[in-house]
Structures are given as structure tokens and as C-alpha cells.
Amino acid sequence: MSLIQRIVRGVLKIPTLRQFGTVTKLSSEKEFDQVTQSSVPTLIDFHADWCGPCKVLTPILKSVIEDHDEEINLLMVNVDDFGDLASDHDVNAIPCVKFAKDGSVSGGFVGVKTKQQIEILINEHLKTS
């Protein structure tokens, strides 16, 4: 039996990559409410397309959620499109990252951080939430 035949028949299992987390670009305030009500922890990245530091931070955040041991999502919120939402959550500078889970939006940081710094902040937040 060839390798292809064994895979197709299920005799040979191909290991799948473990991938946690999703990246969502916010499209409505209703969606924001749905995501923040979830029991899955979510990083909320308040950013703008014209913001240089935001462009640096975004790939770092994506890498963090892809590599994290637990499921965690990333919600991208463009402050130019959702200024009132950013204001409601006390976003005064960007990039600004907040944590959300079970309806609570809290903590976070402003500015660019390293992957390691973000992982530490996430782990600290997960312990207290």
C-alpha cells in the first residue's frame, strides 16, 4: 500500500498543527460586544492604519496568539472607524491593547512591547481573571 493510500484510508495519521486563537478585524460595535462577552480571553488591539508603532505591534500580537499555550483571540479595532468605542474604553494613545473576557474589558498596555513582554502580561492577566 502506497503512502497516499495509507493516508486516504486513515491507516497513517498525519499530525496536525495545534493552532489557537483567531484574529478578527472589527466590523461593528455589536461584534465588539459579542467578542468581549466570550469566555475565551481576547486581546483588543486599538490601532490606526497610519500609525507606525501600530504596524510594528500587530505582527507581534498575531505571533503571540498563534504560539500561546491556551486559546486566546485577537480583536483589531481601528480607532478611525470606531472612535466612540475607543473613547468608551479610555483609549487615549495608540497602539493600545486591552484584555477582555466574560464581558469585562480591563488592563493592558500602550505602545510597542516585545513578544516576551506581552506573553508575561497575558499570563499575569489570565491568572487574575
Side-chain angles (χ1 to χ4, degrees), residues 40-73:
V40 176
T42 301
L43 292 178
I44 305 170
D45 177 21
F46 291 94
H47 69 282
D49 293 338
W50 49 264
C51 169
C54 300
K55 292 177 184 179
V56 172
L57 183 61
T58 297
I60 297 170
L61 292 173
K62 288 179 179 179
S63 176
V64 167
I65 68 154
E66 288 171 1
D67 296 343
H68 203 269
D69 290 338
E70 298 176 45
E71 183 176 12
I72 188 162
N73 295 325

Side-chain angles (χ1 to χ4, degrees), residues 10-98:
V11 176
L12 179 64
K13 301 290 183 195
I14 298 175
T16 56
L17 292 175
R18 177 180 56 110
Q19 182 177 353
F20 292 120
T22 58
V23 177
T24 304
K25 184 177 178 181
L26 187 67
S27 59
S28 71
E29 288 191 28
K30 182 178 179 182
E31 182 182 32
F32 182 88
D33 293 337
Q34 291 171 341
V35 171
T36 58
Q37 295 294 325
S38 172
S39 62
V40 176
T42 301
L43 292 178
I44 305 170
D45 177 21
F46 291 94
H47 69 282
D49 293 338
W50 49 264
C51 169
C54 300
K55 292 177 184 179
V56 172
L57 183 61
T58 297
I60 297 170
L61 292 173
K62 288 179 179 179
S63 176
V64 167
I65 68 154
E66 288 171 1
D67 296 343
H68 203 269
D69 290 338
E70 298 176 45
E71 183 176 12
I72 188 162
N73 295 325
L74 176 61
L75 180 63
M76 308 292 296
V77 179
N78 188 322
V79 298
D80 289 333
D81 297 333
F82 297 97
D84 290 342
L85 194 57
S87 180
D88 291 346
H89 293 282
D90 300 321
V91 175
N92 299 315
I94 54 174
C96 179
V97 177
K98 303 263 184 180

